[in-house]
């Protein structure tokens, strides 16, 4: 079961990290954000992760697709609120 609290928490965390990630010019800072989010999704509600990942096991964990994934995740979570 996906709770409203889990959606709000995930949205707040990912939205904040997305804003920093998109405006950062520092590679180390972007890498730190990717690591933090990867760690976060490891502990995220499995149901919520499944709902936003469309079954992709590397969602928010793939360096090459991270920018697209974070935007998609934030948009989906916002729509769920």
């Amino acid at each position: 079961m996906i709770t409203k609290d889990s959606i709000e928490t995930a949205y707040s965390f990912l939205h904040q990290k997305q804003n920093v990630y998109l405006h950062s010019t520092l590679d180390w800072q972007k890498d730190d954000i990717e690591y933090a989010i990867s760690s976060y999704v490891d502990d995220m509600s499995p149901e919520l992760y499944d709902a936003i990942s469309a079954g992709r096991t590397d969602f928010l964990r793939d360096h090459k697709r991270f920018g697209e994934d974070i935007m998609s995740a934030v948009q989906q979570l916002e729509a769920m609120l």
Side-chain angles (χ1 to χ4, degrees):
M1 180 174 145
I2 302 172
T3 66
K4 184 170 175 78
D5 287 344
S6 67
I7 296 168
E8 289 174 347
T9 301
Y11 174 78
S12 295
F13 181 73
L14 295 178
H15 185 260
Q16 182 226 15
K17 297 297 183 195
Q18 175 194 31
N19 285 337
V20 175
Y21 185 86
L22 292 177
H23 297 98
S24 178
T25 58
L26 305 170
D27 288 337
W28 65 265
Q29 186 176 42
K30 288 183 172 189
D31 289 343
D32 284 354
I33 290 169
E34 289 182 37
Y35 177 78
I37 290 177
S38 178
S39 296
Y40 180 82
V41 299
D42 286 344
D43 294 327
M44 178 186 276
S45 155
E47 294 87 3
L48 181 56
Y49 183 75
D50 287 345
I52 65 172
S53 69
R56 278 190 41 229
T57 58
D58 65 345
F59 186 72
L60 293 170
R61 295 180 174 114
D62 180 357
H63 177 73
K64 293 179 183 176
R65 293 188 60 167
F66 185 81
E68 298 168 43
D69 288 352
I70 190 70
M71 289 176 34
S72 174
V74 169
Q75 289 172 348
Q76 290 181 72
L77 289 165
E78 186 173 0
M80 295 170 87
L81 291 174

